[in-house]
Structures are given as C-alpha cells and as structure tokens.
Amino acid sequence: FDILYPAQDAVWREKMTYSQPALFSIEYALAKLWLSWGIQPTTVMGHSLGEYVAACISGVFSLEDAIKLVCARGRLMDSLPLAGEMAAVFADEATVNAVIAPYGEDVSIAAFNGPSNTVISGVAAVLHPLLQTFAERGIKTRHLAVTQAAHSHLLDPILDEFESVARTVTYAAPRLGYVSCLTGKTVQGSEVQRARYWRDHLRQPVRFADGVQTLFADGY
C-alpha cells in the first residue's frame, strides 16, 4: 500500500525497483477487472512496461514469469549510475532528430508516442541544454520524473544480465492478436517468445504511434 500510495517525501517512490512492479500490478489488475466484467479483448498492445501486461494477458508468459521479468528490469535499472534523464518533446520525429543529431549517442529517441509527441532519453548533462534549445525554437518539452534513461545506450551494461533472466522464462504463442511496440506491427511469428526480444524491448525505442496506426489499419 505504501508503495502504491507513497508519502509526499518518500524518496524510494522513484526507484525502478519499486515503481516498475507497482505499475505492472496496477495495469494487470485493471486488465483483470475489465475481464471480470466480460470485456474480452481480441488484440492487445502495451507501451514499454505495459507490454509485459499485454504479453501476460495474451498468454505469452505466466503472471509469475512476468513478475520475475519486471522485478529484474527494475532492479537492474536501479543498479546503474544516476546519469540519465528523459523528456517529452512536443514535436515530430524529423524535428527532434535534427536537434539531437550533433550529440550522437548521448541522447536518442526513446519513444514515438504520436505525430507531435516524441520522448528523448540520454545523458542528463546533455539533455538539459537540449531542452533549452527546443525552448528557443518555440517547441514545448516536459521533463519526465524518472531516475533512469530508459531505451537509451545508458542501459547497455545491464542488457546481458537481463537477457539471462529472460532465458529462464517459459514462453508460448499469444492467444490473442498482439501488436508489438518494439516493431509497431502485429506479431506474426515467434519473436515475442525469445529472450532476445525482451532484451531489445528494453533498449530500443517504443514505437507506440506505429502500433496505434497498425490497430487502426486493422479496423480497431
């Protein structure tokens, strides 16, 4: 209860070790509540951590294995130095890429959320002046209250260990339609049943906007 509803000064509420399992729990519980009401999905999709819920609901792995992965994800992210930050930039992909290009790998796109909503992630010391650059161009930004630069090169040191945990999970083909936010496309093969998929899912950008377009094209 204290983790889901932290006190105002609870410094650990921003820890991935706690926030990742807490977020998964809320999303999974909500999905199960809708199912209990008779709302039966035909296709699932989840944004970043939310894809673990989508995978669990569609039968890709069990609840126990989902929790194992989510807890490992949070624990390993917290093992990294607090050197990264994230921010939402209310501009299109091309505009954002043009601004961040000179900084190389220090800052990259972490999520494509919509035509004018792009999340960047990377080294905090670089991100701060970048946000000022966007402001000078009249582009609004919003700093994200997270302690790690998800979906960036700063996560590279933990990828091998996370993949080793993912190899211990039992996978199955999804029983529902499944749109991947790693590719933005409907899963046709067995890619989500591989540990490598979940490693790449942690590191590569979230293609949520593409996933929404895929759903729309399929009549949802």
PDB file of all heavy atoms in Angstrom, residues 27-47:
ATOM      1  N   GLU A  27      -1.632  -2.066 -13.760  1.00  0.00           N
ATOM      2  CA  GLU A  27      -2.101  -2.333 -15.121  1.00  0.00           C
ATOM      3  C   GLU A  27      -2.688  -3.736 -15.241  1.00  0.00           C
ATOM      4  O   GLU A  27      -3.728  -3.933 -15.884  1.00  0.00           O
ATOM      5  CB  GLU A  27      -0.953  -2.136 -16.113  1.00  0.00           C
ATOM      6  CG  GLU A  27      -0.481  -0.690 -16.198  1.00  0.00           C
ATOM      7  CD  GLU A  27       0.593  -0.493 -17.248  1.00  0.00           C
ATOM      8  OE1 GLU A  27       0.930  -1.471 -17.962  1.00  0.00           O
ATOM      9  OE2 GLU A  27       1.097   0.629 -17.369  1.00  0.00           O
ATOM     10  N   TYR A  28      -2.030  -4.706 -14.626  1.00  0.00           N
ATOM     11  CA  TYR A  28      -2.523  -6.080 -14.684  1.00  0.00           C
ATOM     12  C   TYR A  28      -3.864  -6.202 -13.952  1.00  0.00           C
ATOM     13  O   TYR A  28      -4.804  -6.833 -14.452  1.00  0.00           O
ATOM     14  CB  TYR A  28      -1.500  -7.035 -14.075  1.00  0.00           C
ATOM     15  CG  TYR A  28      -1.929  -8.485 -14.101  1.00  0.00           C
ATOM     16  CD1 TYR A  28      -1.794  -9.241 -15.259  1.00  0.00           C
ATOM     17  CD2 TYR A  28      -2.477  -9.089 -12.974  1.00  0.00           C
ATOM     18  CE1 TYR A  28      -2.191 -10.570 -15.293  1.00  0.00           C
ATOM     19  CE2 TYR A  28      -2.883 -10.415 -12.997  1.00  0.00           C
ATOM     20  CZ  TYR A  28      -2.737 -11.147 -14.162  1.00  0.00           C
ATOM     21  OH  TYR A  28      -3.147 -12.454 -14.195  1.00  0.00           O
ATOM     22  N   ALA A  29      -3.959  -5.566 -12.792  1.00  0.00           N
ATOM     23  CA  ALA A  29      -5.203  -5.614 -12.022  1.00  0.00           C
ATOM     24  C   ALA A  29      -6.343  -4.961 -12.797  1.00  0.00           C
ATOM     25  O   ALA A  29      -7.481  -5.456 -12.788  1.00  0.00           O
ATOM     26  CB  ALA A  29      -5.013  -4.922 -10.677  1.00  0.00           C
ATOM     27  N   LEU A  30      -6.055  -3.867 -13.482  1.00  0.00           N
ATOM     28  CA  LEU A  30      -7.083  -3.196 -14.272  1.00  0.00           C
ATOM     29  C   LEU A  30      -7.555  -4.088 -15.423  1.00  0.00           C
ATOM     30  O   LEU A  30      -8.763  -4.193 -15.699  1.00  0.00           O
ATOM     31  CB  LEU A  30      -6.543  -1.871 -14.814  1.00  0.00           C
ATOM     32  CG  LEU A  30      -7.509  -1.010 -15.628  1.00  0.00           C
ATOM     33  CD1 LEU A  30      -8.738  -0.652 -14.800  1.00  0.00           C
ATOM     34  CD2 LEU A  30      -6.818   0.261 -16.123  1.00  0.00           C
ATOM     35  N   ALA A  31      -6.590  -4.741 -16.087  1.00  0.00           N
ATOM     36  CA  ALA A  31      -6.950  -5.656 -17.179  1.00  0.00           C
ATOM     37  C   ALA A  31      -7.824  -6.797 -16.667  1.00  0.00           C
ATOM     38  O   ALA A  31      -8.830  -7.164 -17.290  1.00  0.00           O
ATOM     39  CB  ALA A  31      -5.682  -6.206 -17.835  1.00  0.00           C
ATOM     40  N   LYS A  32      -7.460  -7.351 -15.528  1.00  0.00           N
ATOM     41  CA  LYS A  32      -8.247  -8.449 -14.953  1.00  0.00           C
ATOM     42  C   LYS A  32      -9.639  -7.968 -14.525  1.00  0.00           C
ATOM     43  O   LYS A  32     -10.623  -8.716 -14.617  1.00  0.00           O
ATOM     44  CB  LYS A  32      -7.512  -9.067 -13.769  1.00  0.00           C
ATOM     45  CG  LYS A  32      -6.201  -9.755 -14.138  1.00  0.00           C
ATOM     46  CD  LYS A  32      -6.427 -10.976 -15.032  1.00  0.00           C
ATOM     47  CE  LYS A  32      -6.934 -12.154 -14.238  1.00  0.00           C
ATOM     48  NZ  LYS A  32      -7.002 -13.388 -15.070  1.00  0.00           N
ATOM     49  N   LEU A  33      -9.724  -6.721 -14.049  1.00  0.00           N
ATOM     50  CA  LEU A  33     -11.026  -6.176 -13.677  1.00  0.00           C
ATOM     51  C   LEU A  33     -11.926  -6.087 -14.901  1.00  0.00           C
ATOM     52  O   LEU A  33     -13.096  -6.486 -14.858  1.00  0.00           O
ATOM     53  CB  LEU A  33     -10.844  -4.792 -13.041  1.00  0.00           C
ATOM     54  CG  LEU A  33     -12.129  -4.064 -12.626  1.00  0.00           C
ATOM     55  CD1 LEU A  33     -12.870  -4.835 -11.536  1.00  0.00           C
ATOM     56  CD2 LEU A  33     -11.803  -2.643 -12.160  1.00  0.00           C
ATOM     57  N   TRP A  34     -11.388  -5.566 -16.005  1.00  0.00           N
ATOM     58  CA  TRP A  34     -12.183  -5.480 -17.231  1.00  0.00           C
ATOM     59  C   TRP A  34     -12.614  -6.875 -17.695  1.00  0.00           C
ATOM     60  O   TRP A  34     -13.749  -7.070 -18.136  1.00  0.00           O
ATOM     61  CB  TRP A  34     -11.373  -4.795 -18.328  1.00  0.00           C
ATOM     62  CG  TRP A  34     -11.208  -3.314 -18.115  1.00  0.00           C
ATOM     63  CD1 TRP A  34     -11.821  -2.542 -17.166  1.00  0.00           C
ATOM     64  CD2 TRP A  34     -10.371  -2.441 -18.866  1.00  0.00           C
ATOM     65  NE1 TRP A  34     -11.412  -1.231 -17.284  1.00  0.00           N
ATOM     66  CE2 TRP A  34     -10.530  -1.137 -18.314  1.00  0.00           C
ATOM     67  CE3 TRP A  34      -9.500  -2.614 -19.932  1.00  0.00           C
ATOM     68  CZ2 TRP A  34      -9.851  -0.029 -18.816  1.00  0.00           C
ATOM     69  CZ3 TRP A  34      -8.832  -1.523 -20.433  1.00  0.00           C
ATOM     70  CH2 TRP A  34      -8.992  -0.242 -19.880  1.00  0.00           C
ATOM     71  N   LEU A  35     -11.704  -7.845 -17.601  1.00  0.00           N
ATOM     72  CA  LEU A  35     -12.044  -9.218 -17.983  1.00  0.00           C
ATOM     73  C   LEU A  35     -13.172  -9.764 -17.107  1.00  0.00           C
ATOM     74  O   LEU A  35     -14.070 -10.464 -17.588  1.00  0.00           O
ATOM     75  CB  LEU A  35     -10.804 -10.113 -17.881  1.00  0.00           C
ATOM     76  CG  LEU A  35      -9.755  -9.930 -18.982  1.00  0.00           C
ATOM     77  CD1 LEU A  35      -8.447 -10.607 -18.583  1.00  0.00           C
ATOM     78  CD2 LEU A  35     -10.250 -10.501 -20.304  1.00  0.00           C
ATOM     79  N   SER A  36     -13.137  -9.420 -15.825  1.00  0.00           N
ATOM     80  CA  SER A  36     -14.187  -9.890 -14.914  1.00  0.00           C
ATOM     81  C   SER A  36     -15.541  -9.292 -15.254  1.00  0.00           C
ATOM     82  O   SER A  36     -16.589  -9.845 -14.899  1.00  0.00           O
ATOM     83  CB  SER A  36     -13.820  -9.562 -13.455  1.00  0.00           C
ATOM     84  OG  SER A  36     -14.026  -8.184 -13.171  1.00  0.00           O
ATOM     85  N   TRP A  37     -15.535  -8.153 -15.931  1.00  0.00           N
ATOM     86  CA  TRP A  37     -16.773  -7.508 -16.367  1.00  0.00           C
ATOM     87  C   TRP A  37     -17.259  -8.063 -17.710  1.00  0.00           C
ATOM     88  O   TRP A  37     -18.259  -7.597 -18.239  1.00  0.00           O
ATOM     89  CB  TRP A  37     -16.564  -6.004 -16.498  1.00  0.00           C
ATOM     90  CG  TRP A  37     -16.414  -5.284 -15.188  1.00  0.00           C
ATOM     91  CD1 TRP A  37     -16.821  -5.708 -13.953  1.00  0.00           C
ATOM     92  CD2 TRP A  37     -15.812  -4.001 -14.998  1.00  0.00           C
ATOM     93  NE1 TRP A  37     -16.516  -4.776 -12.996  1.00  0.00           N
ATOM     94  CE2 TRP A  37     -15.897  -3.709 -13.604  1.00  0.00           C
ATOM     95  CE3 TRP A  37     -15.224  -3.074 -15.839  1.00  0.00           C
ATOM     96  CZ2 TRP A  37     -15.404  -2.522 -13.058  1.00  0.00           C
ATOM     97  CZ3 TRP A  37     -14.739  -1.897 -15.293  1.00  0.00           C
ATOM     98  CH2 TRP A  37     -14.827  -1.629 -13.921  1.00  0.00           C
ATOM     99  N   GLY A  38     -16.494  -9.000 -18.273  1.00  0.00           N
ATOM    100  CA  GLY A  38     -16.890  -9.582 -19.546  1.00  0.00           C
ATOM    101  C   GLY A  38     -16.330  -8.876 -20.766  1.00  0.00           C
ATOM    102  O   GLY A  38     -16.731  -9.162 -21.892  1.00  0.00           O
ATOM    103  N   ILE A  39     -15.409  -7.942 -20.534  1.00  0.00           N
ATOM    104  CA  ILE A  39     -14.770  -7.240 -21.659  1.00  0.00           C
ATOM    105  C   ILE A  39     -13.620  -8.106 -22.161  1.00  0.00           C
ATOM    106  O   ILE A  39     -12.579  -8.213 -21.515  1.00  0.00           O
ATOM    107  CB  ILE A  39     -14.265  -5.853 -21.227  1.00  0.00           C
ATOM    108  CG1 ILE A  39     -15.434  -5.007 -20.720  1.00  0.00           C
ATOM    109  CG2 ILE A  39     -13.552  -5.154 -22.385  1.00  0.00           C
ATOM    110  CD1 ILE A  39     -15.022  -3.686 -20.099  1.00  0.00           C
ATOM    111  N   GLN A  40     -13.813  -8.738 -23.297  1.00  0.00           N
ATOM    112  CA  GLN A  40     -12.839  -9.685 -23.833  1.00  0.00           C
ATOM    113  C   GLN A  40     -12.070  -9.062 -24.996  1.00  0.00           C
ATOM    114  O   GLN A  40     -12.649  -8.773 -26.047  1.00  0.00           O
ATOM    115  CB  GLN A  40     -13.556 -10.960 -24.310  1.00  0.00           C
ATOM    116  CG  GLN A  40     -14.258 -11.732 -23.210  1.00  0.00           C
ATOM    117  CD  GLN A  40     -13.283 -12.371 -22.237  1.00  0.00           C
ATOM    118  OE1 GLN A  40     -12.159 -12.710 -22.600  1.00  0.00           O
ATOM    119  NE2 GLN A  40     -13.723 -12.543 -20.990  1.00  0.00           N
ATOM    120  N   PRO A  41     -10.786  -8.830 -24.835  1.00  0.00           N
ATOM    121  CA  PRO A  41     -10.005  -8.249 -25.936  1.00  0.00           C
ATOM    122  C   PRO A  41      -9.750  -9.270 -27.047  1.00  0.00           C
ATOM    123  O   PRO A  41      -9.693 -10.476 -26.801  1.00  0.00           O
ATOM    124  CB  PRO A  41      -8.687  -7.865 -25.260  1.00  0.00           C
ATOM    125  CG  PRO A  41      -8.542  -8.851 -24.137  1.00  0.00           C
ATOM    126  CD  PRO A  41      -9.945  -9.108 -23.649  1.00  0.00           C
ATOM    127  N   THR A  42      -9.633  -8.773 -28.265  1.00  0.00           N
ATOM    128  CA  THR A  42      -9.211  -9.619 -29.379  1.00  0.00           C
ATOM    129  C   THR A  42      -7.766  -9.336 -29.766  1.00  0.00           C
ATOM    130  O   THR A  42      -7.102 -10.174 -30.373  1.00  0.00           O
ATOM    131  CB  THR A  42     -10.113  -9.398 -30.607  1.00  0.00           C
ATOM    132  OG1 THR A  42     -10.127  -7.999 -30.928  1.00  0.00           O
ATOM    133  CG2 THR A  42     -11.539  -9.850 -30.324  1.00  0.00           C
ATOM    134  N   THR A  43      -7.279  -8.148 -29.402  1.00  0.00           N
ATOM    135  CA  THR A  43      -5.895  -7.769 -29.658  1.00  0.00           C
ATOM    136  C   THR A  43      -5.383  -6.956 -28.474  1.00  0.00           C
ATOM    137  O   THR A  43      -6.142  -6.196 -27.875  1.00  0.00           O
ATOM    138  CB  THR A  43      -5.776  -6.937 -30.951  1.00  0.00           C
ATOM    139  OG1 THR A  43      -6.088  -7.759 -32.075  1.00  0.00           O
ATOM    140  CG2 THR A  43      -4.366  -6.399 -31.139  1.00  0.00           C
ATOM    141  N   VAL A  44      -4.110  -7.116 -28.143  1.00  0.00           N
ATOM    142  CA  VAL A  44      -3.510  -6.362 -27.051  1.00  0.00           C
ATOM    143  C   VAL A  44      -2.279  -5.610 -27.538  1.00  0.00           C
ATOM    144  O   VAL A  44      -1.630  -5.992 -28.512  1.00  0.00           O
ATOM    145  CB  VAL A  44      -3.106  -7.281 -25.868  1.00  0.00           C
ATOM    146  CG1 VAL A  44      -4.344  -7.877 -25.210  1.00  0.00           C
ATOM    147  CG2 VAL A  44      -2.165  -8.398 -26.334  1.00  0.00           C
ATOM    148  N   MET A  45      -1.982  -4.516 -26.845  1.00  0.00           N
ATOM    149  CA  MET A  45      -0.770  -3.741 -27.098  1.00  0.00           C
ATOM    150  C   MET A  45      -0.422  -3.017 -25.804  1.00  0.00           C
ATOM    151  O   MET A  45      -1.318  -2.616 -25.053  1.00  0.00           O
ATOM    152  CB  MET A  45      -0.993  -2.729 -28.223  1.00  0.00           C
ATOM    153  CG  MET A  45       0.246  -1.903 -28.569  1.00  0.00           C
ATOM    154  SD  MET A  45      -0.012  -0.746 -29.956  1.00  0.00           S
ATOM    155  CE  MET A  45      -0.937   0.550 -29.140  1.00  0.00           C
ATOM    156  N   GLY A  46       0.848  -2.870 -25.516  1.00  0.00           N
ATOM    157  CA  GLY A  46       1.259  -2.171 -24.305  1.00  0.00           C
ATOM    158  C   GLY A  46       2.453  -1.273 -24.559  1.00  0.00           C
ATOM    159  O   GLY A  46       3.339  -1.614 -25.346  1.00  0.00           O
ATOM    160  N   HIS A  47       2.483  -0.124 -23.879  1.00  0.00           N
ATOM    161  CA  HIS A  47       3.560   0.851 -24.044  1.00  0.00           C
ATOM    162  C   HIS A  47       4.687   0.546 -23.066  1.00  0.00           C
ATOM    163  O   HIS A  47       4.507   0.624 -21.848  1.00  0.00           O
ATOM    164  CB  HIS A  47       3.001   2.252 -23.793  1.00  0.00           C
ATOM    165  CG  HIS A  47       3.965   3.359 -24.077  1.00  0.00           C
ATOM    166  ND1 HIS A  47       5.088   3.595 -23.320  1.00  0.00           N
ATOM    167  CD2 HIS A  47       3.966   4.305 -25.044  1.00  0.00           C
ATOM    168  CE1 HIS A  47       5.738   4.633 -23.797  1.00  0.00           C
ATOM    169  NE2 HIS A  47       5.063   5.091 -24.848  1.00  0.00           N
TER     170      HIS A  47
END
